Amino acid sequence: LLPRTLPHSEIRTLLQSIDTTTSAGYRNRALLELMYSSALRADEALSLNIADVDMTTGTATVHGKGDKERLVPIGATALRYLKTYIRGVRPLQLCHRHEVALFLDHQGRRRDPRLPTHPARYPAKTSARWRLLPKSWRRVWPYFSVRAAIWLLAMVRMARS
């Protein structure tokens, strides 16, 4: 039995509802876009350092559970938000110029994934039947990846016929 996931339209609505006019809001949007596009756990995304993200290749080196390291692709929208966050917003949050964490809190330190105000716990502007938890973001990615792969396979088959 597969876990239930949020529909793509509701995820887009949720992401678009984040107020990106504030530095914290823009950080949260970049964080959630990254988690959504790369199927990252909250603790994986929040443990990223600046050096872990390669903007030229659009990838991130993630250190996951059991100290396992993997290279993940970053979606185009997430990459766009990350670039703007790193170049324009993060410097405003930075208190110590030696801080290497990618996502910072209001005190300029690494963001803590255990906080109850973690952006992945946003009260969704989605229908009430969905309970939004940080792991919900990770569950959505395989569903849409499989759907996209099936669509791509169908297009290849049509091109060959």
Side-chain angles (χ1 to χ4, degrees), residues 3-15:
R4 290 178 30 192
T5 62
L6 285 167
H8 179 71
S9 61
E10 293 198 31
I11 287 192
R12 281 285 131 216
T13 300
L14 176 63
L15 288 170

Side-chain angles (χ1 to χ4, degrees), residues 46-66:
L46 292 172
S47 68
L48 285 173
N49 294 326
I50 290 283
D52 294 332
V53 178
D54 186 346
M55 294 295 184
T56 56
T57 61
T59 59
T61 303
V62 177
H63 304 279
K65 286 185 175 179

